Amino acid sequence: MSTKTGTASVQPFAAKNADDMVRLTADQQAAVARLTAAGVVVFRPDTCVIDPEVEVAAGTVIEPYVQLLGKTRVGSGCRIRSFTVIENCTLGNGVQVLQSSVLEDSTVADGAHIGPFAHLRPGSEIGESAHVGNFVETKKTRLGKGAKANHLSYLGDAEIGDGSNIGAGTITCNYDGVHKHRTQIGKAAFIGSDSTLVAPVAIGDGAYVGAGSCITKDVPADALAVGRGRQFTKEGWAAARRAQRQNK
């Protein structure tokens, strides 16, 4: 076992009967013991599930009810909050994974923030100091350094440049019913809330997309794109409608 990471030597296996379950539990307890001996802080280890091939560097904190599965690798100085499940992922140093997040077959670079209630599906690459916030789902998507998607978004088959901001409710419409298509977002772009980006589509560096837009064509660098119906207001309409209903 490395002096900097805790690594169990036992191979994981499928539990088939009660004896297997007892052995599996013992192996997981041994894995926790190896991690704590290597300088990992595990709160309430009896509540955690940590597979034998998991590696965690010293100085990381694992809160109660966390599952670290498969060949997950976690760097130093991380904090994994309660009810999080991480499977076959690689996390850098100083990563914060907040409560009830699910990460699968993804990579997270140093200093990134994930969650709470985030879902990184396979193929997600989260850059250094990037943010994936509450109720954000990513799939085969790369967020560049310092990029942020903090609220309520689906980002699938996308490339998002360094420093870009993805507003709440943004969706990359990647599936046409037959094929998947990619969305390219440049560096320092701003995507307004409740935008739908219909792939294949590209948003240039520094471009702005107005809130509530449906974008179907490429947006050049440093441009503003707004794709939504114009608002109209009919004064007194609601009062007239109520009066009409009362007179029936």
Side-chain angles (χ1 to χ4, degrees):
M1 182 179 65
S2 168
T3 57
K4 294 185 178 181
T5 61
T7 308
S9 60
V10 188
Q11 296 297 315
F13 63 97
K16 297 178 180 179
N17 53 46
D19 289 340
D20 284 348
M21 289 298 297
V22 171
R23 180 182 164 197
L24 179 59
T25 300
D27 288 344
Q28 290 171 340
Q29 290 173 343
V32 171
R34 290 181 176 90
L35 296 184
T36 56
V40 178
V41 177
V42 183
F43 295 146
R44 294 286 305 276
D46 55 307
T47 69
C48 296
V49 177
I50 299 177
D51 278 351
E53 291 188 281
V54 168
E55 295 183 6
V56 182
T60 284
V61 175
I62 300 171
E63 294 190 0
Y65 299 100
V66 166
Q67 296 184 43
L68 302 179
L69 308 176
K71 296 184 179 181
T72 290
R73 304 289 183 262
V74 180
S76 63
C78 299
R79 192 177 188 101
I80 314 299
R81 303 296 302 270
S82 294
F83 303 105
T84 288
V85 180
I86 303 176
E87 184 170 8
N88 293 323
C89 292
T90 299
L91 279 59
N93 299 323
V95 172
Q96 303 291 309
V97 182
L98 302 184
Q99 295 92 330
S100 300
S101 296
V102 177
L103 288 65
E104 311 166 76
D105 298 290
S106 297
T107 61
V108 181
D110 295 351
H113 285 235
I114 310 297
F117 301 101
H119 187 184
L120 305 188
R121 290 171 56 193
S124 297
E125 300 178 29
I126 310 304
E128 182 180 348
S129 300
H131 288 200
V132 177
N134 49 288
F135 303 105
V136 174
E137 178 181 346
T138 64
K139 189 271 295 181
K140 291 185 179 178
T141 288
R142 180 187 176 276
L143 255 67
K145 181 178 180 180
K148 295 180 180 179
N150 281 326
H151 320 280
L152 300 159
S153 295
Y154 172 68
L155 305 173
D157 298 288
E159 180 88 15
I160 299 168
D162 296 352
S164 286
N165 187 87
I166 309 300
T170 295
I171 297 173
T172 58
C173 304
N174 58 328
Y175 186 48
D176 64 8
V178 179
H179 302 292
K180 300 291 181 69
H181 302 279
R182 292 196 64 78
T183 297
Q184 298 283 138
I185 299 174
K187 297 179 180 179
F190 182 92
I191 311 300
S193 296
D194 199 29
S195 293
T196 55
L197 310 178
V198 183
V201 71
I203 312 296
D205 293 346
Y208 270 61
V209 171
S213 292
C214 178
I215 300 299
T216 59
K217 297 179 181 179
D218 291 351
V219 179
D222 297 318
L224 167 66
V226 181
R228 62 186 181 221
R230 289 184 178 274
Q231 177 178 323
F232 66 90
T233 303
K234 291 186 176 182
E235 293 189 14
W237 181 92
R241 178 176 173 80
R242 286 192 293 269
Q244 183 183 38
R245 291 173 62 89
Q246 289 173 357
N247 293 332
K248 285 184 176 180

